[in-house]
């Protein structure tokens, strides 16, 4: 939602020759309904036309937008994911982010958590249709 950070990310993609392989999507924050709650998340209009997404980095919105600020990411993006996709969650060692990951693992069929090189990141692998809710593999918390 902040052009400064979007611009930095686009620049890093160019520096590594990845500008044709990744898209940085700009979106203002807006109230977004998810399940029984409403979250201050990214405007859903940013998702229009987005399909076959194979890699997602969840690094926002900031905690200051409210509790469980990052929870909407997977429930709202899952229909836009490719049949196999990867999701990396930054700040996964914080309580709200850890809680979001646990909820996703319970609620989203085909999602499993894999080992990560650091507690600050959660690495998730999604395969459409591969599991029932609640049967997702989990990595024990350390």
């Amino acid at each position: 939602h902040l052009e400064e950070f979007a611009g930095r990310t686009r620049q890093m993609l160019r520096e590594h020759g990845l500008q044709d392989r990744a898209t940085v999507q700009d979106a203002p924050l807006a109230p977004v309904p998810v399940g029984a709650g409403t979250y201050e998340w990214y405007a859903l209009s940013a998702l229009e036309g987005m399909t076959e997404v194979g890699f997602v980095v969840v690094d926002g919105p900031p905690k200051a937008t409210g509790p469980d600020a990052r929870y909407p990411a997977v429930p709202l993006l899952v229909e836009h994911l490719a049949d196999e996709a990867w999701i990396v969650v930054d700040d996964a060692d914080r309580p709200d982010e850890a809680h979001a990951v646990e909820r996703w693992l319970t609620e989203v069929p085909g999602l499993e958590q894999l080992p990560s090189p650091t507690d600050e990141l959660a690495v998730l692998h999604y395969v459409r249709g591969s599991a029932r809710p609640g049967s997702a593999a989990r990595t024990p918390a350390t």
Side-chain angles (χ1 to χ4, degrees), residues 72-131:
V74 171
L76 294 174
L77 290 171
V78 71
E79 69 184 68
H80 302 275
L81 295 177
D83 288 343
E84 182 175 9
W86 296 89
I87 302 166
V88 175
V89 183
D90 192 23
D91 306 313
D93 56 340
R94 298 191 313 204
D96 279 2
E97 285 74 1
H99 183 247
V101 169
E102 282 299 315
R103 285 180 69 186
W104 297 336
L105 291 168
T106 301
E107 298 169 358
V108 179
L111 189 66
E112 67 176 331
Q113 185 170 6
L114 301 176
S116 170
T118 172
D119 290 342
E120 294 174 358
L121 297 176
V123 177
L124 307 174
H125 182 228
Y126 172 74
V127 178
R128 191 174 312 282
S130 69

Side-chain angles (χ1 to χ4, degrees), residues 4-21:
E4 173 189 353
F5 292 105
R8 285 186 200 173
T9 303
R10 286 185 185 99
Q11 179 60 37
M12 285 188 278
L13 288 169
R14 282 190 296 276
E15 288 171 3
H16 294 284
L18 298 171
Q19 68 275 7
D20 296 331
R21 305 220 8 121

Side-chain angles (χ1 to χ4, degrees), residues 9-60:
T9 303
R10 286 185 185 99
Q11 179 60 37
M12 285 188 278
L13 288 169
R14 282 190 296 276
E15 288 171 3
H16 294 284
L18 298 171
Q19 68 275 7
D20 296 331
R21 305 220 8 121
T23 301
V24 178
Q25 190 73 0
D26 293 297
L29 293 177
V32 175
V34 179
T38 299
Y39 298 83
E40 199 65 20
W41 201 70
Y42 303 104
L44 296 180
S45 59
L47 300 178
E48 291 175 11
M50 193 180 295
T51 61
E52 298 298 312
V53 175
F55 186 78
V56 176
V57 176
V58 180
D59 191 20

